[in-house]
Amino acid sequence: MAERPKISFFLPQDGFRRRRLADAARILPVLGGILMMIPMLWGVDQGGEADPAKTSNAAVYVFCVWAGVIIAAAMLAPFLARIEDED
Amino acid sequence: MVPFNFLVAVCLGYVAILFLVAFWAERRAAAGKDGWLRSPYIYTLSLSVYCTAWTFYGAVGYAARSGLEFLTIYLGPTAIMIGWWLLLRKLVRIGQSQRITSVADLISSRFGKSTVLGVIVTLLAVVGTTPYIALQLQSVTLSFSVFAAQSSEAWTPPSLNATALWVAGGLAAFTIIFGTRKIDSNERHHGVVMAIAVEAVVKLFALIAVGVFVVWGIAGGVGGVMERIDASPIAQWQVTNGRWIGLTFLSAAAFLCLPRMFQVLVVENADERHLSTASWAFPAYLLAMSLFVLPIAVIGLEVLPAGANPDLFVLTLPLSMGQEGLAMLSFLGGFSSATSMVIVASIALATMVSNHIVMPIWLRLQPKDVSVSGDVRSVLIVSRRASIAAVLALGYMYYVMSGGGAALAAIGLISFVGVAQFLPAMLGGIFWRGANGRGAAVGLLLGAAIWAYSLFLPSFGAGAILSEQLLAEGPWGVGWLRPQALFGIEGLDPVVHAVLWSMLLNTVTFVGVSLFTFPNALERLQGAQFINVFHLSRETKGWQASRVESEDLLIMAQRIIGGRDAQRLFADAANKQGKVGYLPDPTPEFLEKLERELAGSVGAATAHAMVGQIVGRASVSVEDLMAVADETQQMMEYSNQLEAKSDELARTARKLREANEKLTALSEQKDTFLSQISHELRTPMTSIRAFAEILQDPSLEHDDTKRYADIIFRETIRLTRLLDDLLDLSVLENGTVALDISAGDLGALIDRSISAAALTGRLTIKRNPAREVRVIETDQDRLAQVFINLIKNAEKYCDADKPELKISVRSVGDVLQVDFVDNGKGISPADSEVIFEKFSRLSDGARAGGAGLGLAICREIVLNLGGEIAYLPGQGGGAFRVSLPSRVALAAE
């Protein structure tokens, strides 16, 4: 089935594809939100035994997730714009 | 060392460039060459008014104090942009279809074009934004003072207040020139947008330049920066969960609700598709803006003396390293951030103030005669310009009065909480039909009150407005009313505390009041329009036709949108109604269109009120709504009828097409028939003529004469038979044959047929006489003719060595079946379809004698007798089945 011609994915009548793309557009912010909530588990220095996360590592994590979400959005955007056109 | 004059010159030069860019963009747009100006990337860059001086300078200071927490300010807008499909898309579509001019107009328009709501939102926006404008002025003056402090030359800068005054004045001039060129807020401010886009590039470039210098120039690369972060005072993650979530939510809400953001996101949006590009490009811009914030903060903490203001690291760090050019660039970056925010915010606020406060008051003051008097257009322009000046003056006064201290630096988040109060009404308005204006007003007022009480007023410091005693013990000593510990819950961060209680109570009262009160008719109409914006393109029919003078309307429209545009609008409408001239009938449709056009200039509420003054009725009643619904119902019924009729027409057309095809086929068949018949007749005629000629030869011998005469005789017989067959067929086909029905024994009939067939004896016939004993009531002679033909055919065409014909009889219910099966090779399926046609020739050409009419005649006879004849495939040879009713119904007669 991988041989399916690529163009057929985005034909106007391909309503199923379009709806799934719109679903992806809705899921992406939720996914990003969950990933961005993970820092809440790192804890704050309260004199406890567990050390809080290092800022340098935290920054790498946050910026990587951020960039990943942006790239995903950029890949979705052209297709969503096409759906918009057809509306 | 930077001389003061040089600094001022650079600043003025930069402003001059901005003026030129704005002029150039306006000129191009006016010339219709605005394709490039409408690019999605310009739109994305214009969104960068979100990044003010507070984020340009303040983010580093923020990071130096609390580590990564500053990211929340960027993550909120990122979430909104990434999730554009859910929310922004709808917001922008509504903004375009309803010609929304500001966030106040959105809320007022949604809730029945309410003037009260417009006023509430406008006032709250002014209160929330003015301190923010003051903050921008402060940042610019502070950055000036940095250069002053560095300067060896003892230039005494004019007092900071004077600097702020100059900046405010310059901004007011720029904004008035480029921000009020168009009265219709829905028309784009190309000059302003273009200037902001340029500033967006400058501030991003400046911050990245400083960042690159810090990382690779001071820290020695990425690894070095990481080590220094680990060694710095902010090495550990120190963001509390409440602030991480609370501030992200807050920045997301503010991104939607801030008047300046609404202006660039929705009002200045030229094309909905730009959102899809901005959805990733703007988060990418934000990421780039924040990438170097942490390194700059860490290096600043390390390199600069302990008392240095971290809010100015972006400037002081390059200066302390002797990088004056870089510092200058960074100064321009901060200057850009501040000015773009102030320009857009003051345009947005001025639109709101003039549309929702000045215009309603002005309208109220007008004498209540039929037409609106006075030049509305000039009133609008003056009020816009005055509002811009007033907003900037307010900002300046706030700056002076607050003393430009640390209290101002905290105002960014406080301002966010204030405007975030619009969020419940905004979201409820576009997603929930049940939301109503009373709920929105009560929620907004309560939220704003809590914000002021728990965050805004205390921010001036204990004792400034709220007394220390009140802050510590609550009003009248009521502990659970303490501004920063409402309901006795202590220990919350003040901002999170205010966000929590104000948003919660705002939402709860908004929903609660909406549940228990009823919206008026116009609110319901507008609600349906907003919520179904993707499905409903029809406009609200809020107006009922009444005796309005179109001329009055034209006079009013000319005063608001200008003579040329108004006349064009009216002429178009008249044209559409099939009238000539400039005065269309004041139909509800036309009134709606007119109102919407006016709303683009003065806001929905004012436009509604102005049309209402002339039309004489300011709002629709429930009866009107019912009338509209009735009309819709009638239209739907009518369209259903039309649909049914068109179905019927399609059916008729299909039938006609079929009939036509049949006629064409018949005509072709007739042509074929004629050509074949001529051919069949000519063959014997040719030989007769030839032999007749030979017979004329007197020298012919007697034997030959006799032989040739014989041939002629046989050919005439053949001709006669052909003609007989033809006649027979024509009689049968016309159904005019006279049938001679009588009862007889089937076996006897078959006997007679076999003997009449005059077989040569080559063919063996197999029968089961016992089964043939049954009486059949039919035309005996005609049926015999069919049987004879079938038997003769079998003899003629059966190509087996020992030809056999099996005749079997069977009755199925009332139907008698007589099968004639031979043991030859039969007929191919393709041929079996045509053998009953006249003159059909089998493809192998095995036609011996006869004109090919036999089976056609058989078929006609059997049909006339009420039965049918068919070729039976798969019987191991040629097989025909004759099915007959045992008693002929004389239907033909």
Side-chain angles (χ1 to χ4, degrees):
Chain A
M1 289 321 284
E3 297 307 310
R4 198 128 76 101
K6 211 170 180 182
I7 192 156
S8 75
F9 274 37
F10 309 110
L11 286 180
Q13 64 263 37
D14 203 343
F16 184 82
R17 246 323 113 177
R18 291 177 43 181
R19 278 196 291 277
R20 295 300 84 78
L21 276 169
D23 287 349
R26 291 187 188 96
I27 291 167
L28 188 61
V30 175
L31 177 71
I34 291 171
L35 289 176
M36 281 298 180
M37 273 194 231
I38 286 177
M40 291 170 58
L41 304 173
W42 293 338
V44 175
D45 191 1
Q46 287 156 333
E49 62 279 4
D51 276 349
K54 283 205 284 187
T55 296
S56 51
N57 295 344
V60 171
Y61 173 82
V62 171
F63 277 105
C64 285
V65 170
W66 198 352
V69 171
I70 290 170
I71 290 166
M75 290 187 336
L76 269 177
F79 303 126
L80 292 172
R82 215 171 301 180
I83 296 179
E84 274 272 291
D85 275 355
E86 288 154 17
D87 273 356
Chain B
M1 294 304 116
V2 183
F4 179 67
N5 288 341
F6 182 66
L7 191 64
V8 172
V10 168
C11 221
L12 288 180
Y14 182 68
V15 171
I17 289 172
L18 287 185
F19 266 83
L20 284 178
V21 166
F23 261 119
W24 171 79
E26 290 283 357
R27 285 279 292 277
R28 278 190 77 89
K33 296 178 192 159
D34 57 350
W36 190 66
L37 297 171
R38 288 172 185 271
S39 121
Y41 295 100
I42 299 290
Y43 177 67
T44 305
L45 287 175
S46 77
L47 296 186
S48 77
V49 290
Y50 181 75
C51 302
T52 62
W54 179 51
T55 45
F56 188 85
Y57 293 122
V60 171
Y62 201 155
R65 288 182 206 101
S66 25
L68 283 175
E69 191 182 286
F70 79 94
L71 283 177
T72 54
I73 301 303
Y74 298 104
L75 291 180
T78 300
I80 297 288
M81 289 311 294
I82 297 284
W84 68 286
W85 191 258
L86 290 168
L87 182 56
L88 275 182
R89 193 168 73 106
K90 191 163 190 181
L91 204 57
V92 168
R93 179 73 68 92
I94 290 172
Q96 303 212 327
S97 68
Q98 299 284 327
R99 301 181 64 88
I100 298 295
T101 60
S102 64
V103 61
D105 195 31
L106 176 87
I107 292 176
S108 143
S109 176
R110 161 63 178 86
F111 297 110
K113 305 180 183 179
S114 147
T115 310
V116 175
L117 270 173
V119 172
I120 294 176
V121 174
T122 302
L123 288 180
L124 186 53
V126 170
V127 173
T129 309
T130 310
Y132 212 117
I133 290 176
L135 179 63
Q136 309 305 313
L137 298 179
Q138 183 198 31
S139 76
V140 175
T141 50
L142 267 183
S143 57
F144 263 102
S145 72
V146 165
F147 280 92
Q150 290 276 327
S151 178
S152 58
E153 165 194 349
W155 54 270
T156 45
S159 75
L160 291 180
N161 286 355
T163 317
L165 186 62
W166 277 106
V167 174
L171 286 172
F174 181 91
T175 314
I176 285 172
I177 291 173
F178 292 104
T180 59
R181 291 170 80 91
K182 306 266 172 57
I183 283 299
D184 186 342
S185 318
N186 268 110
E187 287 185 37
R188 323 282 161 228
H189 299 104
H190 290 290
V192 172
V193 168
M194 199 60 218
I196 287 167
V198 170
E199 292 195 305
V201 174
V202 170
K203 63 194 179 194
L204 180 64
F205 181 70
L207 201 58
I208 287 182
V210 174
V212 167
F213 167 69
V214 165
V215 171
W216 282 279
I218 303 179
V222 178
V225 168
M226 287 303 188
E227 279 166 27
R228 285 165 195 240
I229 291 175
D230 287 340
S232 71
I234 52 170
Q236 288 186 328
W237 176 261
Q238 46 186 313
V239 189
T240 62
N241 292 350
R243 276 179 81 87
W244 184 253
I245 289 231
L247 295 186
T248 305
F249 167 79
L250 182 60
S251 64
F255 185 68
L256 285 171
C257 298
L258 280 168
R260 65 171 193 279
M261 289 319 297
F262 193 87
Q263 178 82 24
V264 287
L265 262 177
V266 179
V267 182
E268 300 278 351
N269 177 292
D271 187 335
E272 224 175 288
R273 279 169 299 182
H274 292 173
L275 271 180
S276 69
T277 305
S279 76
W280 59 268
F282 185 62
Y285 182 91
L286 291 178
L287 188 142
M289 280 296 279
S290 50
L291 199 54
F292 290 107
V293 166
L294 197 59
I296 296 173
V298 168
I299 305 296
L301 283 174
E302 189 185 304
V303 174
L304 293 173
N309 182 359
D311 282 334
L312 292 170
F313 279 177
V314 184
L315 262 178
T316 47
L317 205 50
L319 271 182
S320 72
M321 295 288 159
Q323 298 285 334
E324 280 171 6
L326 191 59
M328 187 65 80
L329 182 63
S330 155
F331 169 79
L332 284 184
F335 186 73
S336 299
S337 313
T339 50
S340 59
M341 179 273 165
V342 173
I343 291 167
V344 181
S346 55
I347 290 177
L349 283 183
T351 309
M352 285 158 79
V353 169
S354 75
N355 284 0
H356 296 281
I357 295 180
V358 176
M359 286 311 289
I361 292 175
W362 182 82
L363 267 183
R364 197 60 58 86
L365 294 179
Q366 294 299 305
K368 290 248 174 202
D369 57 0
V370 179
S371 73
V372 178
S373 55
D375 190 349
V376 186
R377 218 172 140 70
S378 66
V379 171
L380 257 180
I381 291 190
V382 169
S383 89
R384 288 268 165 89
R385 291 185 174 160
S387 304
I388 289 174
V391 163
L392 281 165
L394 272 177
Y396 174 72
M397 274 158 56
Y398 191 95
Y399 165 73
V400 173
M401 273 163 33
S402 70
L408 204 49
I411 204 75
L413 281 179
I414 295 171
S415 170
F416 274 21
V417 184
V419 293
Q421 302 307 321
F422 304 150
L423 190 70
M426 182 191 269
L427 293 189
I430 65 176
F431 289 111
W432 183 35
R433 289 265 320 241
N436 72 34
R438 272 179 225 179
V442 174
L444 269 170
L445 286 175
L446 185 63
I450 294 175
W451 165 72
Y453 181 66
S454 68
L455 192 63
F456 185 55
L457 298 182
S459 77
F460 294 96
I465 293 180
L466 301 181
S467 67
E468 274 176 57
Q469 192 204 355
L470 188 144
L471 279 172
E473 297 167 18
W476 310 289
V478 181
W480 59 273
L481 282 181
R482 275 172 295 161
Q484 296 184 317
L486 285 173
F487 308 107
I489 296 171
E490 291 178 58
L492 281 177
D493 175 83
V495 174
V496 176
H497 172 268
V499 170
L500 177 70
W501 289 118
S502 64
M503 293 305 285
L504 192 66
L505 292 175
N506 180 342
T507 310
V508 167
T509 48
F510 168 54
V511 172
V513 173
S514 293
L515 287 178
F516 290 106
T517 57
F518 287 99
N520 66 37
L522 191 56
E523 275 186 79
R524 277 146 84 170
L525 273 180
Q526 287 294 97
Q529 293 251 312
F530 273 54
I531 281 139
N532 304 322
V533 69
F534 289 115
H535 311 292
L536 259 177
S537 54
R538 235 165 62 86
E539 290 160 16
T540 333
K541 291 230 188 116
W543 296 110
Q544 286 300 296
S546 61
R547 261 161 291 156
V548 195
E549 288 301 326
S550 295
E551 205 176 339
D552 292 338
L553 289 171
L554 180 60
I555 292 168
M556 177 190 70
Q558 281 177 341
R559 283 172 180 159
I560 297 176
I561 59 178
R564 208 187 40 194
D565 287 346
Q567 283 154 21
R568 198 174 49 218
L569 175 72
F570 275 62
D572 281 353
N575 210 353
K576 239 176 230 166
Q577 292 178 1
K579 295 177 75 172
V580 185
Y582 289 97
L583 294 178
D585 288 333
T587 58
E589 291 79 14
F590 171 65
L591 290 176
E592 270 320 308
K593 189 170 158 47
L594 176 66
E595 189 189 320
R596 200 162 294 191
E597 285 295 323
L598 299 183
S601 297
V602 294
T606 307
H608 193 66
M610 291 178 100
V611 176
Q613 271 198 357
I614 292 178
V615 175
R617 186 156 29 148
S619 66
V620 286
S621 64
V622 177
E623 285 73 28
D624 293 338
L625 276 186
M626 306 280 275
V628 174
D630 271 356
E631 196 180 311
T632 316
Q633 183 65 29
Q634 283 171 8
M635 276 173 64
M636 278 172 65
E637 271 172 23
Y638 184 60
S639 100
N640 282 346
Q641 282 173 8
L642 278 182
E643 207 168 307
K645 271 186 191 155
S646 102
D647 282 354
E648 203 181 307
L649 277 178
R651 267 198 303 278
T652 316
R654 208 160 42 234
K655 274 186 196 156
L656 280 174
R657 205 163 43 237
E658 279 166 12
N660 186 34
E661 277 164 13
K662 216 179 232 168
L663 281 174
T664 314
L666 276 176
S667 146
E668 275 171 17
Q669 222 174 349
K670 194 169 208 164
D671 291 346
T672 323
F673 179 75
L674 279 174
S675 80
Q676 271 167 348
I677 203 100
S678 342
H679 179 75
E680 294 296 336
L681 288 173
R682 209 181 60 184
T683 319
M685 287 301 278
T686 312
S687 59
I688 290 170
R689 204 179 66 196
F691 286 108
E693 258 174 39
I694 296 172
L695 282 179
Q696 283 174 352
D697 186 350
S699 66
L700 217 55
E701 303 227 347
H702 180 260
D703 278 359
D704 286 342
T705 312
K706 186 171 169 2
R707 196 154 53 91
Y708 295 144
D710 207 36
I711 290 173
I712 288 174
F713 178 70
R714 269 186 284 122
E715 289 298 319
T716 45
I717 295 280
R718 205 175 122 195
L719 261 180
T720 317
R721 197 170 62 227
L722 181 62
L723 290 172
D724 282 348
D725 282 354
L726 276 174
L727 274 174
D728 205 14
L729 193 62
S730 122
V731 167
L732 285 164
E733 276 185 341
N734 288 334
T736 52
V737 65
L739 295 174
D740 176 19
I741 307 291
S742 60
D745 183 58
L746 184 61
L749 183 66
I750 295 175
D751 286 344
R752 192 146 59 86
S753 306
I754 292 172
S755 53
L759 296 173
T760 53
R762 197 173 81 91
L763 186 71
T764 319
I765 292 183
K766 286 187 172 175
R767 294 169 60 187
N768 184 352
R771 308 204 60 162
E772 294 168 3
V773 185
R774 55 191 82 208
V775 176
I776 179 165
E777 196 171 293
T778 186
D779 186 323
Q780 307 284 333
D781 291 341
R782 284 293 189 182
L783 190 55
Q785 193 184 346
V786 173
F787 288 175
I788 293 166
N789 203 306
L790 289 175
I791 295 165
K792 274 187 170 169
N793 273 357
E795 189 191 25
K796 254 187 261 174
Y797 300 121
C798 185
D799 49 1
D801 291 340
K802 289 185 174 175
E804 264 180 23
L805 177 68
K806 203 169 110 187
I807 301 174
S808 52
V809 177
R810 158 181 343 119
S811 66
V812 179
D814 221 16
V815 178
L816 205 58
Q817 292 180 343
V818 187
D819 292 356
F820 295 82
V821 184
D822 66 31
N823 61 348
K825 68 175 162 62
I827 298 169
S828 73
D831 287 337
S832 70
E833 283 173 17
V834 296
I835 47 174
F836 293 107
E837 299 299 329
K838 286 165 279 201
F839 303 109
S840 60
R841 294 157 201 274
L842 298 189
S843 46
D844 58 0
R847 195 167 64 85
L853 287 173
L855 282 173
I857 292 173
C858 286
R859 185 177 63 168
E860 291 305 327
I861 292 172
V862 176
L863 283 176
N864 273 292
L865 292 178
E868 59 182 17
I869 179 168
Y871 181 75
L872 276 185
Q875 301 298 317
F880 292 89
R881 167 171 291 172
V882 180
S883 313
L884 286 167
S886 51
R887 182 184 290 269
V888 172
L890 291 174
E893 297 294 306

